Amino acid sequence: MPVARGLYRRRSGWRASGLAAMACALGACAAPMPGEAVGVTAATSSDNRPTRGRDPWVFRCIFEDRTRMVLVAAGDGVWMAFNPATCAMAKVWRGDVLFRGKVWDFSQDNSIARGTV
């Protein structure tokens, strides 16, 4: 069993480093300025930070028949789909997301991307 535990640790380290790389690429690693409030709301256009397309701007869902996908609203109309199981960016597109499924409209369909890749 030591081999299985070692592989799991190594694999979980890859996942963590992949998510950290994605967060740094989005500019989320910037430290807040002194006296600045830290919250989960989207940044306003008067800040130097980018305006996020949605609040919350990172969430997990079933996306285009792939389970446990992380969707990121990177900017105004720019979306990214990240697969944490493989630490890979699955899709980047400009447009919108058609939110479908039991969480949003009680249907059996999955959420899909609308726009240009």
Side-chain angles (χ1 to χ4, degrees), residues 11 15 67-68 82-88:
R11 209 177 309 156
R15 283 190 195 127
T67 59
R68 299 181 193 104
F82 180 77
N83 189 347
T86 61
C87 294

Side-chain angles (χ1 to χ4, degrees), residues 76-98:
D76 192 27
V78 178
W79 291 82
M80 290 187 282
F82 180 77
N83 189 347
T86 61
C87 294
M89 198 64 65
K91 184 184 261 191
V92 178
W93 72 98
R94 182 174 294 277
D96 199 9
V97 176
L98 177 62

Side-chain angles (χ1 to χ4, degrees), residues 36-115:
E36 182 179 23
V38 177
V40 294
T41 59
T44 61
S45 60
S46 63
D47 291 341
N48 289 334
R49 290 183 246 157
T51 302
R52 303 295 180 196
R54 188 181 195 299
D55 190 19
W57 59 279
V58 176
F59 55 96
R60 191 179 90 166
C61 69
I62 298 173
F63 180 70
E64 296 182 347
D65 295 328
R66 297 181 189 140
T67 59
R68 299 181 193 104
M69 296 294 287
V70 176
L71 291 182
V72 178
D76 192 27
V78 178
W79 291 82
M80 290 187 282
F82 180 77
N83 189 347
T86 61
C87 294
M89 198 64 65
K91 184 184 261 191
V92 178
W93 72 98
R94 182 174 294 277
D96 199 9
V97 176
L98 177 62
F99 292 104
R100 301 294 311 264
K102 294 200 180 268
V103 175
W104 288 283
D105 62 357
F106 300 107
S107 70
Q108 296 293 324
D109 299 329
N110 295 326
S111 299
I112 58 171
R114 294 187 299 186

